[in-house]
Amino acid sequence: MYRCPKCNKKLLQRNNSYQCENRHTFDIARRGYVNFVVGSSRQHGDDKEMIRSRTEFLTLDHYAILRNKLAQLLVELQPSTVVDAGCGEGYYTNYLAKQIPDAEIYGFDLSKVGIDYACRAKTKVHYAVANVVHLPLVNDFVDVLLSVFAPYEISEVKRIVHKDGYFIKVGPGARHLYQLKEILYKEVYENVEDTLDCEDFELWKEICLTDEIHVVGQKAIHALFQMTPYYWKSPKEGSERLQQVEVLDSEIAFVIQIYKRK
């Protein structure tokens, strides 16, 4: 149910590509994904090093508590169509595909490297390179739209989630990675939880998950650091302090907000 990012006409698969009635064509890559980014945008998403670091950390399953809860929620909702907008390397997406095998699942990310990594799992997920604020999907198509630590555009959420569908938004809880921040910064503040302000959606359920992680080795600690926004915002002396740490014990906290489309 793709639509053309150039003219918004419906795309149909023709052999190894998708094409609309205006003959705009998007080839299917060897790994099976489609690149829907058009024009000369300077945005390319996370680079290879960032994706590799995130993959290395997530495969250690320190965030399994979140992955498992999302799977449980989707099993309960029994959606026919799920979109993971900002899926990155597919850690959550590929797991969900195994837990709800009857659903059609789509994963989008601006990082071509991330989508390539996601496809390596060889699940049935439909992966595509695309900007999450301009998703190449037809209107009123989605049962569940998932956004895990990813940006979103509420107008796009409204456009593709049908009536009585769900938008599941995951963000950091107040003390997520608090002990990591204590190493990086002199003054540490709790995270401010974000809420959706849109009259077209009502908050159906909110779930707060907390746990503690024990990260061993500088390589794993650096991988965690690199997948956070603190990697770009931390002072040099804070980064240098973290480089001396071989074992990190930290709280993790996630807020899952489930909004229902009115």
Side-chain angles (χ1 to χ4, degrees):
M1 298 300 290
Y2 292 131
R3 77 173 193 177
C4 179
K6 292 183 177 180
C7 65
N8 293 334
K9 298 294 184 180
K10 189 174 180 178
L11 289 165
L12 297 176
Q13 186 173 352
R14 302 181 187 280
N15 298 319
N16 292 322
S17 65
Y18 284 91
Q19 189 177 88
C20 69
E21 63 184 56
N22 292 322
R23 295 191 178 181
H24 298 134
T25 302
F26 303 88
D27 294 333
I28 300 173
R30 179 175 57 86
R31 288 203 193 271
Y33 65 86
V34 189
N35 191 338
F36 287 120
V37 176
V38 296
S40 57
S41 172
R42 294 184 180 180
Q43 294 180 303
H44 301 290
D46 293 337
D47 60 23
K48 189 172 184 177
E49 185 178 355
M50 294 282 291
I51 293 295
R52 184 186 295 115
S53 292
R54 193 160 65 221
T55 301
E56 288 176 357
F57 178 80
L58 289 174
T59 52
L60 296 173
D61 283 345
H62 290 300
Y63 284 8
I65 185 175
L66 174 59
R67 181 199 66 189
N68 296 341
K69 175 57 72 172
L70 290 174
Q72 178 189 333
L73 288 170
L74 290 180
V75 169
E76 292 172 358
L77 291 174
Q78 295 185 324
S80 297
T81 55
V82 177
V83 168
D84 188 356
C87 64
E89 69 302 311
Y91 173 74
Y92 302 103
T93 330
N94 288 325
Y95 186 77
L96 294 176
K98 297 175 183 177
Q99 306 307 309
I100 48 173
D102 294 331
E104 289 290 318
I105 302 180
Y106 295 76
F108 298 98
D109 200 274
L110 191 57
S111 171
K112 183 178 177 181
V113 177
I115 291 296
D116 189 80
Y117 265 70
C119 287
R120 296 179 187 184
K122 296 183 179 179
T123 60
K124 67 166 192 170
V125 178
H126 307 286
Y127 280 114
V129 182
N131 195 323
V132 296
V133 303
H134 187 203
L135 291 167
L137 293 170
V138 297
N139 297 344
D140 302 317
F141 170 63
V142 179
D143 293 329
V144 174
L145 176 61
L146 182 64
S147 177
V148 182
F149 287 94
Y152 63 91
E153 174 58 54
I154 189 57
S155 61
E156 275 293 88
V157 177
K158 288 166 56 178
R159 183 181 68 79
I160 66 173
V161 176
H162 62 65
K163 186 178 182 297
D164 294 326
Y166 297 90
F167 174 42
I168 301 180
K169 184 170 75 67
V170 180
R175 292 182 63 84
H176 183 57
L177 297 177
Y178 195 84
Q179 287 69 31
L180 172 66
K181 293 195 291 185
E182 286 183 319
I183 298 171
L184 296 171
Y185 303 105
K186 291 181 179 179
E187 294 185 46
V188 183
Y189 302 95
E190 293 187 350
N191 299 314
V192 178
E193 297 177 12
D194 179 46
T195 56
L196 184 68
D197 184 16
C198 179
E199 61 182 14
D200 295 285
F201 288 86
E202 61 181 350
L203 183 61
W204 183 68
K205 184 185 292 186
E206 181 172 280
I207 301 168
C208 299
L209 298 177
T210 59
D211 202 355
E212 294 184 359
I213 56 174
H214 179 69
V215 187
V216 179
Q218 179 53 218
K219 183 179 180 181
I221 293 170
H222 182 74
L224 169 61
F225 178 43
Q226 197 168 12
M227 63 180 270
T228 70
Y230 313 129
Y231 182 72
W232 305 105
K233 301 176 181 179
S234 298
K236 181 179 179 181
E237 58 270 22
S239 299
E240 291 174 346
R241 282 194 298 271
L242 188 64
Q243 290 174 12
Q244 306 306 312
V245 176
E246 289 296 330
V247 177
L248 173 67
D249 292 302
S250 180
E251 298 169 77
I252 56 173
F254 309 103
V255 178
I256 305 173
Q257 295 172 330
I258 308 171
Y259 295 91
K260 189 171 184 179
R261 183 81 152 89
K262 296 180 182 178

